[in-house]
Amino acid sequence: MFKTGPIIHQDISPCFLYGALSDEQFVIARNTADSAFRAVGRNAENRMLPFLEAPFNEECIEKAESVVSHFRKFESVLVIGTGGSSLGARTMTSLLQSWVMADNAFPKLYFLDNLDAEIFWEIMSIVNPKTTGVIAVSKSGETAETLIQVMRCIEYWSGIIDIGTLSEQFLFITEPKNNFLRKIAAHFGIKCMDHPTNIGGRFSCFSLGSILPPMIIGFDVRKFFHGAASTCNQIFLGRLRAPIDGAALALALYNTKNIRTHVFFPYGDAFSSFTFWCRQLIAESIGKNGVGFTPVYGMGPVDQHSQLQLYMDGPDDKLFTVLFEKQVARERLSPNTWDFLPSLRPFAISAIADLVSAQCNATCQALMKKKRPVRILCVHVLNEQTLGALMMNFIIETLITAEIFHVDPLTQPSVEIGKKIALDALSKR
Ligand SMILES: O=P(O)(O)OC[C@H]1O[C@](O)(CO)[C@@H](O)[C@@H]1O
């Protein structure tokens, strides 16, 4: 059964307890965030935000299902794509990868999302083209990192398998436009599936190119969609204020404390890819016209031992979002084994999950005592449903923040400048 009702819990009270922010400062920002939220609601009603509708649409799941079993036959699947054409899929996959790889039931997924000659050729030396599928995802079909890796793969595969069977192993997901990926597909007879033209990369986590790779390794996408759709409903029905209050908090801190940095500090490795996805969402959607928040990634507890000193005692210019999953104790303790070291009794009588939870709490308390603004986002368990809820929550929070700062969240015009310079330089070789 799917759980209904809010499945994520946000607590912003730590910002007020020790005076990082006053109630009055927050209330002013909350009024602004409320009217920005109403504007987002109007845009949604006018169907200008199709990605909010995406998790209500099973058609996309059915399209993915039509090719999932084909790709499950391979030993390995390479997923080529970058930015929003990879981060959503990676985030979903990271929930499963560890146990899936352990039982070998599904292909091993390799994400070629960065471009690195060493890693690319290392992966080529590991996989067997005869038993490896390739999925390339690019909305534009024109992204340099994606194209060059697709081209090298086709050359490499052609040297080993019959070129006529490339169509069996390759699949491209791209807009239905006459882009480079489509042209390559037409030339080699490779199957193409449509990426929605009206949904940009970082908002495409509920679209085919993002859901297909995790589905190949057993991700339950229906639960994921349900988590996102029910959270979307809760928010627009006024039953979940988390994204509105999150945006209000950021605005209040921006105005009163000049805060421009947003540190994500999750406890739980499974949050790691999610945080990278959030980073693109916040950076590309809001960072324009001289405004924006610089998203910073940390991971607890490990980064307590690298970044926390700065966060506690360095410049007071950051908002901290601590993400926490209530981890369950998995071990049977045998405290008597450690009777010879009485000082270690706290660890002898506690599970690893208990220590993680205590450390998360301690970090929040310590930051609060230093009057650093902290909000805590907690899920009971990080699974497909809560991940969908979290992603929807941050998408809506980002839309509200963009509305507050009068920037268009759907574009990233400045990224194009560098792309053009790189392409011009290569063309002159
Ligand atoms: O899906 P595409 O068109 O290959 O784009 C990949 C990524 O590149 C960008 O356009 C710019 O970095 C991102 O917004 C996008 O997610």
Side-chain angles (χ1 to χ4, degrees), residues 66-81:
S66 71
V67 289
V68 160
S69 51
H70 177 71
F71 279 95
R72 278 198 185 147
K73 288 186 208 136
F74 294 110
E75 259 170 34
S76 316
V77 176
L78 308 185
V79 183
I80 305 177

Side-chain angles (χ1 to χ4, degrees), residues 54-55 57-68 206 208 211 215 221-223 225-226:
N57 182 0
E58 293 254 322
E59 206 185 302
C60 163
I61 301 180
E62 283 153 20
K63 277 191 191 143
E65 279 169 343
S66 71
V67 289
V68 160
F206 309 111
L208 181 65
I211 64 170
M215 283 171 74
V221 78
R222 285 193 164 77
K223 285 188 186 157
F225 273 31
H226 183 269

Side-chain angles (χ1 to χ4, degrees), residues 16 21-34 248 252:
F16 307 103
L21 198 62
S22 73
D23 288 356
E24 295 71 35
Q25 289 164 337
F26 179 69
V27 168
I28 296 168
R30 198 179 55 187
N31 290 338
T32 310
D34 276 327

Side-chain angles (χ1 to χ4, degrees), residues 82-85 138-140 143 201-202 280 284 412 415 419:
T82 194
S85 286
S138 171
K139 176 182 189 289
S140 63
T143 300
R202 56 193 175 276
Q280 185 201 9
E284 277 194 347
Q412 57 288 325
V415 181
K419 285 185 187 173

Side-chain angles (χ1 to χ4, degrees), residues 65 88 261 275 392:
E65 279 169 343
T261 304
T275 311
M392 180 55 82

Side-chain angles (χ1 to χ4, degrees), residues 353-365:
D354 299 329
L355 179 56
V356 174
S357 163
Q359 287 186 311
C360 177
N361 245 313
T363 299
C364 294
Q365 302 263 350

